[in-house]
Amino acid sequence: MTTSSLSPMVSFTGVSKHFPASGSGAAFTALDGIDYSVAKGSITGIIGRSGAGKSTLIRLVNGLEHASNGKVLVDGVDVGALDEAGLRTLRRSIGMIFQHFNLLSSRTVFDNVALPLEIAGVGKAAIEKRVRPLLDLVGLDDKHARYPSELSGGQKQRIGIARALATEPKLLLSDEATSALDPETTQSILDLLKTINADLGLTVLLITHEMEVVKAVTSDVAVIDRGRIVESGRTFDVFTQPSHETTRALLSGLPGSKLPEALARNLKQSPSAGDRAVVRLTFFGATAERPLVSQLISSVGTEVNIIAGTIDEIGGEPYGSLVVAYAATPETSGRAERFFAENGLVTEVLGYVA
């Protein structure tokens, strides 16, 4: 399936990866029949729980692992068909940033960024001409003579990004690159990735278990569970109308989506006399800015309790989530459903409480 009308930078066709039994464990399948495409110029997220297959998937892209079945293409090149020389050429067109930065402590900031160019045999003058603008891009040109031990976590990750851009790649891979950072630093790194994507036209493929990261920076997303892509599409569409239970479970941890624990424990699947329906409303676009609660109260003719809610943006588009409760009578439920339909709201009945 294709995430966009743009031509793909990366495509997986019928890709599986099996690991044989070893002394430390039994044989297992990490990826099982992956069909997915990453559009050129996009920021695409692959999200899933630990062990879902995310890291294996991204390692197939730069040839650190090879598929047991199927094909992985990067800009039309079959990664599995490349010899060692071909893989070295491919890897120069792919930048990689990591969770733990992987900087060399004995080298200065400048020399860390210059390392891929030195390995490629680039001369000193050309290295200087390439590295200093990259340090300026990531906001650390004044730190060029410092060492990693003198930098904060966010600064180290910026150096990692500059190093990944040194060979002028067309694809940037991010492997849990913000997982070790605090929220404020994470946001600054995500803003930098958006700038790089916009200014350099670089395709970014990131894997993460953090839904906040996906929401903040990606245009497209794929949800992976037990080695299979279970849902994919525009990030806005997947977040506002998730169809798979894994996606809904991952989204439940976002602010405004989680129910109070006492309420969650007491939810029932079927109503009894006097119960209240607990309903999640999802609204977006112009609807996100309207006084929906007061209009809902007027429409249903009874009190409506607000349990949780948030207003946010996904890919620059307004989005809101609101959990409300109202009397679970046929009359009230019917009026509420008509109101939801008339106002284009996506709804989900979470259960019933006394």
Side-chain angles (χ1 to χ4, degrees):
M1 65 191 75
T2 303
T3 61
S4 163
S5 59
L6 298 175
S7 59
M9 173 59 74
V10 183
S11 64
F12 304 91
T13 305
V15 170
S16 297
K17 177 62 178 178
H18 310 295
F19 289 95
S22 64
S24 59
F28 71 99
T29 296
L31 299 172
D32 185 10
I34 299 291
D35 292 297
Y36 188 68
S37 294
V38 177
K40 286 183 179 177
S42 70
I43 303 180
T44 295
I46 306 291
I47 189 160
R49 301 182 179 95
S50 296
K54 305 186 301 296
S55 293
T56 301
L57 191 69
I58 208 169
R59 287 170 65 85
L60 293 178
V61 176
N62 57 13
L64 293 177
E65 298 282 359
H66 294 287
S68 303
N69 304 102
K71 282 189 176 183
V72 180
L73 303 182
V74 175
D75 204 16
V77 175
D78 184 350
V79 178
L82 296 176
D83 58 15
E84 282 303 316
L87 283 173
R88 284 195 296 271
T89 301
L90 174 75
R91 288 167 185 157
R92 283 196 290 272
S93 70
I94 301 174
M96 185 87 181
I97 54 177
F98 307 90
Q99 178 180 359
H100 297 298
F101 322 127
N102 289 8
L103 302 179
L104 297 178
S105 60
S106 61
R107 294 176 69 100
T108 65
V109 164
F110 182 98
D111 290 339
N112 265 284
V113 177
L115 182 60
L117 298 173
E118 293 176 10
I119 293 172
V122 177
K124 287 186 178 181
I127 287 176
E128 176 80 18
K129 189 176 180 180
R130 178 63 181 158
V131 171
R132 293 303 286 264
L134 285 174
L135 291 175
D136 185 57
L137 174 66
V138 301
L140 290 175
D141 188 44
D142 60 333
K143 302 288 193 299
H144 69 276
R146 308 288 284 272
Y147 288 87
S149 61
E150 302 174 85
L151 305 178
S152 68
Q155 290 171 330
K156 290 177 183 177
Q157 193 56 281
R158 286 174 178 271
I159 297 307
I161 292 172
R163 180 185 57 192
L165 298 176
T167 57
E168 300 183 291
K170 51 193 171 185
L171 172 64
L172 181 63
L173 305 179
S174 170
D175 186 0
E176 299 280 9
T178 60
S179 295
L181 304 176
D182 62 75
E184 184 177 353
T185 305
T186 291
Q187 187 57 54
S188 73
I189 295 299
L190 297 180
D191 289 341
L192 177 59
L193 290 178
K194 286 192 284 188
T195 298
I196 290 168
N197 169 256
D199 292 354
L200 305 181
L202 193 66
T203 305
V204 181
L205 176 61
L206 60 88
I207 64 169
T208 181
H209 64 277
E210 300 172 292
M211 294 301 277
E212 283 283 3
V213 168
V214 175
K215 177 174 70 68
V217 75
T218 67
S219 55
D220 298 90
V221 65
V223 182
I224 189 168
D225 184 48
R226 300 178 185 178
R228 297 183 177 183
I229 300 291
V230 296
E231 186 164 4
S232 65
R234 281 204 323 143
T235 303
F236 188 86
D237 296 335
V238 171
F239 271 56
T240 55
Q241 300 183 65
S243 62
H244 195 274
E245 59 182 15
T246 297
T247 312
R248 289 194 290 268
L250 291 168
L251 285 169
S252 67
L254 287 174
S257 299
K258 191 172 183 179
L259 296 177
E261 289 187 13
L263 177 65
R265 284 197 304 269
N266 292 315
L267 276 182
K268 302 183 295 183
Q269 293 305 304
S270 300
S272 302
D275 281 356
R276 301 176 69 77
V278 179
V279 181
R280 175 177 284 117
L281 317 178
T282 302
F283 44 97
F284 33 85
T287 309
E289 300 172 357
R290 290 173 48 195
L292 290 172
V293 176
S294 60
Q295 294 175 6
L296 175 61
I297 294 172
S298 176
S299 295
V300 301
T302 185
E303 67 177 25
V304 176
N305 293 346
I306 300 175
I307 296 170
T310 185
I311 301 290
D312 210 334
E313 285 190 355
I314 301 173
E317 298 181 57
Y319 155 80
S321 175
L322 191 65
V323 179
V324 299
Y326 48 78
T329 63
E331 296 81 5
T332 298
S333 296
R335 288 193 291 266
E337 288 168 8
R338 285 192 294 274
F339 174 82
F340 300 148
E342 291 167 0
N343 288 276
L345 299 176
V346 176
T347 65
E348 179 187 4
V349 178
L350 302 178
Y352 303 88
V353 292

